[in-house]
Amino acid sequence: MESDLISVLWYIILIYVIVQLVRFTRADADLTLLWAESFGSKPADKLCGKVVWITGASSGIGEELAYQLAKTGASLILSARRENELHRVKQNCIGTNVILNCLLMLIRFLPFLFLPFCVQIDILLNNGGRSQRSLCLETDLDVYQALMELNYLGTVSLVKCVLPHLVERKRGQIVTISSVAGLAGVPLASGYSASKHALQGFFNSLRSELADFPEITISSVCPGPVQSQILKNAFTGDLGKAVNSDADQSHKMSTSRCVSLILVGMANNVKEMWISEQPFLLFNYMWQYTPTWAWWITDLFGKRRVKNFKAGMDADFSYFTKAKTS
Ligand SMILES: NC(=O)c1ccc[n+]([C@@H]2O[C@H](COP(=O)([O-])OP(=O)(O)OC[C@H]3O[C@@H](n4cnc5c(N)ncnc54)[C@H](O)[C@@H]3O)[C@@H](O)[C@H]2O)c1
């Protein structure tokens, strides 16, 4: 009788483990973030009325962040390199943001009422950045310098501008779009990966320095491949030349899903968000918990990635069964 009970218990545990494994194969974010999505605060409840500064808002993840944040009722400050693209994004946001429309009416008639909103920043969203597609042996030192200046030092300089203001008010949020390349090594992106690792180190240290300010949240977002213009804008080995390829991106996570998860993380003060479809999510867990296996797999796929790149093919497709030409 007792042994029957133990057997039943083992079966229940086995079924539970199988169900969790099946669920994990469909997961596109780490467990904390998925839990927050199901049971945590809703973005519209937490982010409505916040003043959010988004860098790199003219395309990709930054553009989608602007749209989804506008829908929650947040007030936005958008910045990027291309002014005309920013105007396009602004117009699209105004179309969806009721509060922004009301504010614009107020600006027209009572400008002084708008001033307090202009000077206050609740959330700095460090999103602007560029990637890289080149072998270390073929990459000028200038490219490494540019990647560190843009992705790392550019972000640090904005943090240094905004942080004193958050500390004075004892609250606020700094959210930075790092990358899976900030947690793991990525062949053909040694400079990009280094700049994102630098961000991880910086923000993990800063978070602890701010332990006396529990209402200031420092969040790092580590997405895997997401649809955007990142590949088109990526540095090559030559500083003056971008990749400029319109390669198929259908294998990547949709921008809207990635951004909706980022908003969930922001609303629930999640400190590190892993956002990836499989197998990249599994790869994140391996880098964290079984690095020896992760190195072995990185070498295995890295070889194919480099081989495809040398053959003039789209390096990203080396992770998938069918390699496509760029
Ligand atoms: N798309 C992905 O697969 C992916 C994965 C992980 C992390 N990320 C990160 O997400 C962030 C957004 O990238 P994306 O994928 O949306 O690419 P994207 O190229 O579509 O957007 C990048 C944005 O950064 C801005 N930018 C680039 N250089 C700049 C500069 N010198 N000064 C100011 N702004 C500049 C661009 O104008 C653009 O608005 C980046 O930090 C990137 O590293 C992207």
Side-chain angles (χ1 to χ4, degrees):
M1 180 66 182
E2 197 181 320
S3 69
D4 282 356
L5 264 176
I6 291 173
S7 305
V8 169
L9 205 64
W10 273 115
Y11 277 122
I12 290 172
I13 291 171
L14 189 69
I15 289 168
Y16 177 79
V17 169
I18 290 170
V19 168
Q20 293 309 320
L21 282 175
V22 170
R23 284 184 65 188
F24 185 71
T25 58
R26 296 202 195 120
D28 56 5
D30 66 85
L31 296 176
T32 312
L33 196 51
L34 290 179
W35 187 90
E37 187 182 31
S38 300
F39 306 109
S41 305
K42 301 291 166 226
D45 298 341
K46 289 284 170 178
L47 302 172
C48 181
K50 300 278 184 204
V51 179
V52 187
W53 178 6
I54 309 171
T55 70
S58 62
S59 68
I61 296 173
E63 178 176 353
E64 184 63 26
L65 277 165
Y67 299 150
Q68 292 198 23
L69 280 164
K71 279 189 191 148
T72 67
S75 302
L76 305 179
I77 303 163
L78 308 179
S79 60
R81 288 166 306 167
R82 297 162 294 177
E83 208 181 326
N84 53 339
E85 288 297 306
L86 274 180
H87 278 298
R88 178 184 58 80
V89 175
K90 183 181 115 182
Q91 286 310 324
N92 291 339
C93 287
I94 289 170
T96 56
N97 187 331
V98 180
I99 291 187
L100 199 58
N101 276 319
C102 294
L103 281 174
L104 284 172
M105 277 173 65
L106 279 174
I107 298 168
R108 250 175 240 147
F109 300 110
L110 298 164
F112 59 90
L113 274 184
F114 193 63
L115 279 178
F117 293 101
C118 289
V119 291
Q120 175 187 313
I121 293 170
D122 295 304
I123 304 174
L124 169 64
L125 232 162
N126 293 306
N127 166 75
R130 283 178 70 181
S131 187
Q132 175 197 7
R133 281 293 181 285
S134 57
L135 290 163
C136 171
L137 280 174
E138 296 166 3
T139 305
D140 293 342
L141 191 60
D142 292 355
V143 173
Y144 284 96
Q145 193 167 346
L147 278 161
M148 286 310 270
E149 275 177 11
L150 172 59
N151 294 349
Y152 174 61
L153 289 175
T155 303
V156 173
S157 72
L158 291 186
V159 168
K160 284 189 63 66
C161 289
V162 171
L163 188 59
H165 171 72
L166 302 187
V167 166
E168 198 184 307
R169 292 174 52 228
K170 295 191 173 60
R171 65 192 151 92
Q173 220 170 349
I174 297 178
V175 182
T176 303
I177 313 299
S178 174
S179 170
V180 61
L183 305 169
V186 180
L188 299 171
S190 52
Y192 175 70
S193 181
S195 69
K196 295 291 184 178
H197 272 73
L199 284 177
Q200 291 292 117
F202 173 79
F203 284 110
N204 284 340
S205 310
L206 179 64
R207 190 180 296 117
S208 298
E209 280 184 24
L210 294 171
D212 285 341
F213 298 91
E215 287 186 45
I216 299 180
T217 308
I218 305 289
S219 298
S220 297
V221 185
C222 301
V226 176
Q227 292 171 8
S228 75
Q229 294 190 10
I230 193 138
L231 180 59
K232 197 172 185 177
N233 293 327
F235 285 103
T236 60
D238 176 350
L239 185 61
K241 211 174 128 205
V243 168
N244 229 346
S245 139
D246 279 319
D248 177 16
Q249 299 205 32
S250 54
H251 59 288
K252 297 182 179 180
M253 183 186 232
S254 76
T255 329
S256 63
R257 174 64 183 157
C258 172
V259 167
S260 80
L261 285 166
I262 295 174
L263 263 52
V264 167
M266 286 166 67
N268 290 281
N269 293 327
V270 178
K271 294 182 177 71
E272 188 164 294
M273 306 170 212
W274 294 358
I275 300 174
S276 292
E277 286 174 352
Q278 300 292 12
F280 302 100
L281 185 64
L282 177 65
F283 189 58
N284 276 8
Y285 277 94
M286 287 178 73
W287 268 90
Q288 190 82 4
Y289 299 110
T290 57
T292 311
W293 289 7
W295 290 327
W296 181 78
I297 288 189
T298 309
D299 287 354
L300 191 76
F301 285 98
K303 249 189 215 171
R304 282 170 61 183
R305 188 170 158 87
V306 171
K307 199 170 149 195
N308 279 357
F309 174 76
K310 283 184 173 167
M313 287 151 72
D314 177 11
D316 279 353
F317 275 98
S318 56
Y319 295 126
F320 303 91
T321 43
K322 278 189 202 157
K324 293 186 186 174
T325 48
S326 56

